[in-house]
Amino acid sequence: MARGLEAGLRDCGTRQALRPDLEIAHEVSLIGSLEAMLSILFPSSSHVPGLREPFRPSEQARLGLYFVAMSVVAILLAGCSATLQRVAVPEKLVESAEIDGMSDIRVWGDDAQAAAKRFVVSEAPRLRAKYNAVPARQPIVSNLLAISGGADDGAFGAGLLYGWGQVGTRPQFDLVTGVSAGALIAPFAFLGAEYDRQLSEIFTRYDSGEIYQANILAGVLGGPGLAQNDPLKKLIAGYVDAKLLSRIAEERAKGRMLVIGTTNIDIQRPVYWDIGRIAMSGHPRAVELTRDILLASAAIPGVFPPVRIRVKADGKDYDELHVDGGATREVFYTPGNFSFKELDAQIGRKMTRRLYVIRNGKLDPEWEATEETALALGARSMSTVLKNQTIGDLIRMHSKARAEGIDYNLAYIPRTFKVPRPGPFDLRYMQALYAVGLQLGKEGYKWSKAPPGLIDQQASQEAR
């Protein structure tokens, strides 16, 4: 407990250090006083500075000191959070906010009609030149890949894609989208075989300590999350560098797209980022922004801190808070009102499209004897909501694909996978799940043609 209190305070102190203009000397003295109280409350050593003999307080005294200590902690952390003031984008400027020096790099995921039209107009010449080089009688096939969130269950998608690549049948994807765990996989899946090593190790090499650092007390007493994702930030920086962005830019120039989803929590809307356009911009912040987007896409609200993204609106600087894309869309492949039919009309060629959707999680109902406690019931309810939200996203994608004549293919963790998970991002769990995905990929995965509920309905209709 004492170490947890200390961690929370040290975290506050670290964040305070980022603001040297603030006066925190009084807080330093409070921390010193608090340390003395903690040594009494949690006497690994019961000696208190200034006393000749070890002090052994009564239970009532210990209880009183405990509440005093907790009050001081609350004040310190409240003060800490108060110093990190935001300059949020005013509501009336939300639509016009942009990354300074980079235009047309993102759209709203729930309403991008104007942006979709601009995209069709701007991309049509490039795609027309690309596909007009293909003989008129030769069919054109365009492959699309959408990778869902799933936290440590992302090991399944990484294994499946790697195994698929090992047998030489994994196609090049013209569009790759990713959310949360899927966002960490997507850049490597987009770039193909040359980045298979990174694809294979992202969920098999790093354990929980290299992904997050628990900081529950700070989160409970006013911090932005129950854990710090600094280790994940460092991990992302090790993979996302100028060389990787240069390769993404090369592929974007050919008309291929890598799109990552986040949630702008201020306005409660999905945001889809065109990483290729960011890479092509040549902006000095391109690498930093890409790292921030990937980190934000995996920032589970309340668990990990949100990511601040600097923007400009009406000539002034503001910041947006972005969190896990799964808060609004667990998986996606286009903004809601984008039409491939309109794009084909502009290009002047009809093409066959195949959509591959990887759900990093199970879709079948799973029985569990739930404990009758607030925490257990809350956690079980949230996992149930998430599963059903995901099924809703998959059904929506299936309906849109059918309307546009796109071949729909779905993969997800089989119900037979029963390896226990001792804790989040347990390395042995991820390695076991990766191995399952790897084997299924090598064997030639039998893709489902519809989400589970729709498969049952179709089977029932065919039986009639």
Side-chain angles (χ1 to χ4, degrees):
M1 175 88 177
R3 268 177 278 190
L5 288 168
E6 182 181 358
L9 293 170
R10 295 305 176 202
D11 173 61
C12 177
T14 300
R15 293 193 288 152
Q16 291 271 22
L18 299 176
R19 300 285 302 274
D21 55 309
L22 298 172
E23 177 60 54
I24 59 171
H26 66 289
E27 294 188 6
V28 173
S29 64
L30 282 174
I31 290 175
S33 302
L34 180 60
E35 286 176 341
M37 285 189 281
L38 291 176
S39 68
I40 300 171
L41 285 168
F42 311 104
S44 54
S45 168
S46 56
H47 179 73
V48 180
L51 296 182
R52 295 181 179 179
E53 299 296 329
F55 177 58
R56 304 188 184 280
S58 67
E59 287 301 312
Q60 287 185 333
R62 283 168 61 89
L63 185 61
L65 282 170
Y66 173 82
F67 283 114
V68 171
M70 293 304 292
S71 298
V72 173
V73 171
I75 292 169
L76 288 174
L77 292 177
C80 178
S81 61
T83 60
L84 296 174
Q85 294 295 323
R86 291 192 56 207
V87 186
V89 181
E91 184 177 3
K92 64 181 181 180
L93 297 178
V94 164
E95 293 287 344
S96 62
E98 289 187 343
I99 306 299
D100 192 22
M102 291 186 242
S103 59
D104 289 332
I105 63 169
R106 62 182 188 169
V107 298
W108 296 114
D110 55 358
D111 181 17
Q113 190 168 1
K117 290 184 181 300
R118 288 199 306 272
F119 171 81
V120 169
V121 171
S122 65
E123 293 296 317
R126 180 187 290 117
L127 295 176
R128 192 181 299 120
K130 174 181 177 180
Y131 292 119
N132 281 347
V134 180
R137 294 184 178 181
Q138 182 178 328
I140 300 175
V141 178
S142 178
N143 295 291
L144 320 173
L145 175 65
I147 314 171
S148 85
D152 47 12
D153 280 342
F156 171 74
L160 181 68
L161 286 166
Y162 188 80
W164 193 4
Q166 289 293 290
V167 296
T169 57
R170 190 179 79 205
Q172 182 182 77
F173 299 103
D174 292 322
L175 169 67
V176 177
T177 69
V179 171
S180 195
L184 303 180
I185 299 170
F188 310 129
F190 177 74
L191 293 175
E194 65 181 292
Y195 277 85
D196 270 0
R197 177 186 62 81
Q198 292 87 335
L199 175 66
S200 69
E201 69 184 28
I202 193 72
F203 283 96
T204 61
R205 183 175 173 183
Y206 308 102
D207 62 15
S208 59
E210 295 169 285
I211 296 173
Y212 71 92
Q213 180 179 4
N215 199 0
I216 295 174
L217 183 67
V220 170
L221 295 177
L226 299 176
Q228 289 298 320
N229 52 4
D230 291 341
L232 179 58
K233 184 176 182 178
K234 181 180 179 181
L235 190 62
I236 290 172
Y239 284 98
V240 178
D241 54 17
K243 179 181 178 182
L244 181 118
L245 250 64
S246 176
R247 284 290 297 113
I248 292 174
E250 289 174 14
E251 296 305 314
R252 183 65 180 86
K254 300 174 185 176
R256 299 178 60 224
M257 294 186 66
L258 169 63
V259 182
I260 301 299
T262 66
T263 296
N264 181 330
I265 202 66
D266 291 325
I267 195 65
Q268 298 180 315
R269 296 180 68 182
V271 180
Y272 298 164
W273 300 82
D274 186 340
I275 303 301
R277 276 192 176 275
I278 295 172
M280 292 175 67
S281 71
H283 197 283
R285 282 186 57 207
V287 173
E288 175 193 353
L289 177 61
T290 301
R291 291 171 177 173
D292 284 345
I293 291 167
L294 295 181
L295 185 65
S297 187
I300 303 169
V303 178
F304 294 134
V307 175
R308 292 192 187 192
I309 294 182
R310 289 176 288 158
V311 297
K312 189 173 284 288
D314 195 27
K316 298 180 181 178
D317 294 323
Y318 296 100
D319 63 72
E320 299 173 341
L321 282 190
H322 286 255
V323 300
D324 196 321
T328 45
R329 297 287 188 275
E330 260 301 298
V331 62
F332 72 96
Y333 75 107
T334 66
N337 48 19
F338 179 83
S339 171
F340 278 108
K341 289 182 178 180
E342 291 183 14
L343 181 61
D344 289 349
Q346 287 287 329
I347 295 172
R349 291 290 296 269
K350 179 74 175 81
M351 61 186 73
T352 299
R353 288 188 175 85
R354 299 189 183 116
L355 171 62
Y356 296 92
V357 184
I358 298 177
R359 166 54 187 157
N360 290 306
K362 293 181 180 178
L363 295 178
D364 302 296
E366 299 172 85
W367 181 90
E368 181 181 298
T370 307
E371 293 182 16
E372 201 171 353
T373 65
L375 289 177
L377 289 168
R380 183 66 170 168
S381 297
M382 285 304 299
S383 67
T384 302
V385 168
L386 179 60
K387 178 177 288 188
N388 285 278
Q389 175 192 325
T390 301
I391 292 172
D393 288 341
L394 294 173
I395 291 174
R396 181 169 55 248
M397 292 172 66
H398 178 264
S399 299
K400 183 175 180 180
R402 288 192 65 182
E404 297 220 84
I406 298 174
D407 181 36
Y408 180 96
N409 303 272
L410 172 65
Y412 52 94
I413 297 176
R415 68 172 70 192
T416 53
F417 181 74
K418 301 289 187 181
V419 174
R421 180 196 275 118
F425 296 98
D426 177 77
L427 185 57
R428 289 186 179 180
Y429 172 85
M430 292 189 291
Q431 289 173 339
L433 183 53
Y434 175 88
V436 169
L438 177 67
Q439 189 61 34
L440 290 172
K442 286 183 175 180
E443 291 174 353
Y445 188 83
K446 296 179 180 179
W447 298 81
S448 298
K449 289 300 180 180
L454 293 184
I455 292 174
D456 295 340
Q457 293 175 20
Q458 291 173 358
S460 176
Q461 292 171 357
E462 291 172 2
R464 293 175 188 172

